Amino acid sequence: QEMSMGPEPGNLGGTAIKPVGWDRTGLEAFKYFLYNPDTGEVLTRTPLSWVKITVFYSVYYCCLAAFWIGCLQVFFLTLPEIQDGPKWTMYQSIIGTNPGMGVRPGNSDQRIDSQMFVLSQGEREGEEPSNYWGDGDRNIDYAVRTQHFLESYNREATYPYKNFDISELGPCGEFPYGFVANDDQNYGESVAPCIFLKLNKIWGWVPEPLDDYDTDWIPEDLQDHYNYMRDDGNTQNVWMHCEGRNAADKEALGDIEYFPRSRGLPVEFFPFMGASVSGQNYHSPLVAIKIHPGREFLGQLIHVECRAYFRGVVHDTKNKMGLVQFEVLINE
C-alpha cells in the first residue's frame, strides 16, 4: 500500500531583507552619507529631522543657561560691593582679630614653602642675579626680591592711607639690604641680612597699643625699650621682638638691630580697608631686623622667632598667630 506524501516543510524563520545600498563601499558610500538622493537625507537625517533636533537642543541649552545664570545672580546678591569689603570681618570671620605675621623677602618659586634664608658669606656686590625677578638662591637674588617688594613704597599711598618712609629703615632701606658685602667692606666679612617683618592684613582691624601699666608679661628687653619709648611719648605702636628659639640660637644671633629704632608698627597705618582690587595703594608698615652672626657661627642654622605685641594679642606657635618663625643659614 502506497502512503501519500504531503508538501515538503518550508524554512523556519523569516527571510532577511537587505536594505538598499548595503553593498555600497568606498567613495560611493561616502557620497550617499553626505547626501542620499533617494530619501533626501543629509548626514543620515532628513531636513525636517535636523530642524526638530536643532530646535530641541536650542531650547534645552537656553533653559540650562538661564538656570545657571539665575543661580549665579542669586549668589552675587549675597556678596557685598568691592568697596564694602568682605561680608564677614573681624570677630565674625575665620581670621578673627589676631593677625599672623609675614617675613620678606620671600623665597624663590622653587622653595616657596620654605622660610629658610640660605646665604653665602663671601658673595660681594657686582654679582648678577639669576634673572630679572631674582628667582634664585644666591645672595643677590634675595636683594633683588627685596627691591621688588619695596617698589610699592616708592608710589604715594592712596588717601586715606599713610605713606611709609623707607628711609626710616636706615641701611635696611638701601640696596643690597645687607645680603651681600659692600665694596668698602673687607673681603670675607660675614653678610648681615635685613629681614622685613609685617602684619598680615585684616579688613577693618585697628590694633590697641599696650597698656602703660600692664607690660609685665612682655619680654624684659622689650619692656625696657617700651619704657624708653614711653618717656619719649611714642607708644602708639605694635611692638616687634625677635630672639633665637633655643639657647644656641640666641648665642649665635647676638644683638639684633631694629629699623626703625622704635621697633614698632604705628597704629596710624590701620585699619586696612582694601587696596589691590579697588586700585588703591596701601603701605603696610614694616620693621626690619638686621642680623649679625659672628664668624664662629658660620654654617650654623639659626632658628629665629619674632612676635608682635599689642593689647589682646594671642601667640599660638601651632597656628602661627601673632608670630612668625624662620631660619637663617650663612655658609662659608
Side-chain angles (χ1 to χ4, degrees):
Q1 183 179 356
E2 294 184 3
M3 298 180 60
S4 63
M5 302 294 291
E8 294 185 3
N11 295 329
L12 296 177
T15 302
I17 301 176
K18 296 178 181 178
V20 177
W22 67 273
D23 56 347
R24 299 190 189 107
T25 58
L27 183 60
E28 181 185 11
F30 181 69
K31 289 181 178 179
Y32 269 84
F33 168 74
L34 295 178
Y35 176 70
N36 189 334
D38 299 331
T39 60
E41 293 178 346
V42 177
L43 299 179
T44 72
R45 286 185 180 273
T46 63
L48 180 61
S49 176
W50 278 116
V51 170
K52 290 180 179 179
I53 196 171
T54 301
V55 171
F56 171 80
Y57 278 106
S58 297
V59 173
Y60 172 76
Y61 282 114
C62 285
C63 292
L64 188 64
F67 175 76
W68 182 82
I69 293 173
C71 291
L72 192 63
Q73 291 300 319
V74 172
F75 170 73
F76 283 149
L77 290 175
T78 67
L79 299 180
E81 296 296 329
I82 292 178
Q83 62 271 17
D84 296 333
K87 183 175 183 178
W88 309 109
T89 61
M90 304 290 286
Y91 296 101
Q92 295 178 322
S93 69
I94 297 177
I95 299 175
T97 59
N98 199 81
M101 290 178 59
V103 294
R104 296 293 185 276
N107 242 314
S108 62
D109 289 345
Q110 215 171 17
R111 295 172 175 77
I112 194 66
D113 57 345
S114 172
Q115 294 268 59
M116 182 184 297
F117 295 82
V118 181
L119 305 169
S120 175
Q121 178 247 8
E123 191 169 321
R124 296 172 59 80
E125 282 186 338
E127 299 287 343
E128 292 294 326
S130 298
N131 52 44
Y132 173 78
W133 297 105
D135 189 25
D137 299 325
R138 303 171 62 188
N139 293 25
I140 191 64
D141 291 321
Y142 285 96
V144 170
R145 291 199 294 272
T146 302
Q147 186 177 44
H148 286 299
F149 164 67
L150 295 176
E151 281 180 352
S152 63
Y153 292 86
N154 297 328
R155 303 191 305 272
E156 290 288 322
T158 309
Y159 181 82
Y161 298 133
K162 304 291 184 180
N163 286 309
F164 183 83
D165 189 0
I166 297 181
S167 64
E168 295 184 8
L169 300 177
C172 288
E174 301 174 357
F175 190 88
Y177 317 105
F179 286 102
V180 295
N182 294 324
D183 290 335
D184 59 350
Q185 292 178 331
N186 296 326
Y187 179 76
E189 183 176 349
S190 179
V191 299
C194 291
I195 311 297
F196 298 83
L197 308 174
K198 59 186 288 292
L199 287 178
N200 296 340
K201 302 182 186 74
I202 295 182
W203 188 289
W205 176 72
V206 179
E208 295 185 50
L210 293 175
D211 190 333
D212 288 349
Y213 304 99
D214 184 25
T215 59
D216 295 339
W217 57 280
I218 66 177
E220 183 178 354
D221 171 61
L222 180 58
Q223 189 171 358
D224 293 339
H225 176 75
Y226 178 83
N227 293 335
Y228 172 78
M229 297 302 296
R230 180 177 58 190
D231 296 339
D232 199 34
N234 184 9
T235 60
Q236 300 299 299
N237 298 302
V238 174
W239 305 97
M240 295 293 173
H241 178 73
C242 300
E243 62 181 3
R245 293 169 60 185
N246 307 300
D249 301 319
K250 294 177 182 179
E251 181 183 3
L253 272 179
D255 294 330
I256 299 175
E257 284 189 274
Y258 292 85
F259 300 96
R261 299 295 183 181
S262 64
R263 295 173 57 173
L265 308 177
V267 296
E268 66 179 354
F269 286 89
F270 302 92
F272 170 76
M273 301 298 291
S276 58
V277 177
S278 57
Q280 294 179 309
N281 187 32
Y282 172 71
H283 287 183
S284 184
L286 303 172
V287 168
I289 62 170
K290 196 171 183 64
I291 299 176
H292 299 271
R295 292 185 59 86
E296 64 273 21
F297 299 108
L298 295 178
Q300 176 179 329
L301 182 63
I302 305 174
H303 302 80
V304 185
E305 180 176 277
C306 295
R307 298 192 175 201
Y309 288 88
F310 54 89
R311 190 183 304 178
V313 66
V314 175
H315 295 128
D316 187 334
T317 304
K318 179 180 179 181
N319 296 311
K320 301 295 186 294
M321 295 171 60
L323 58 85
V324 66
Q325 296 174 338
F326 58 93
E327 297 78 35
V328 177
L329 175 63
I330 302 179
N331 293 313
E332 291 282 354

